[in-house]
């Protein structure tokens, strides 16, 4: 089941997460500070494995211009 992203707000636009987001997600999931409550940071391949099953469930947000 694919859920629609939340509606845009004054400041943010939301979109379904895709493999095009891999660079940003690899940076986030590979950051030891961000991942401090996980067993360890993820490498790029693990970030891709995290994105694939979450498509349609999780979304990305970007600031609106």
């Amino acid at each position: 089941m694919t859920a629609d992203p939340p509606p845009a707000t004054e400041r943010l636009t939301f979109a379904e997460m895709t493999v095009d987001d891999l660079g940003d997600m690899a940076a986030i999931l590979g950051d030891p500070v961000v991942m401090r409550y996980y067993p360890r940071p993820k490498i790029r391949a693990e970030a891709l494995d995290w994105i694939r099953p979450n498509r349609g469930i999780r979304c990305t947000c970007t600031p609106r211009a």
Side-chain angles (χ1 to χ4, degrees):
M1 178 174 93
T2 301
D4 292 329
T9 68
E10 282 185 36
R11 298 182 315 161
L12 299 173
T13 301
F14 298 89
E16 183 177 335
M17 184 182 301
T18 69
V19 293
D20 293 336
D21 299 306
L22 177 57
D24 292 331
M25 290 308 301
I28 292 168
L29 297 174
D31 185 325
V33 174
V34 172
M35 300 298 286
R36 69 181 170 261
Y37 298 111
Y38 284 78
R40 61 178 175 71
K42 298 186 181 298
I43 61 171
R44 188 175 181 86
E46 292 171 319
L48 181 59
D49 290 343
W50 189 87
I51 289 173
R52 285 184 176 141
N54 287 299
R55 286 183 296 183
I57 299 170
R58 300 186 190 251
C59 61
T60 61
C61 64
T62 54
R64 293 183 80 178

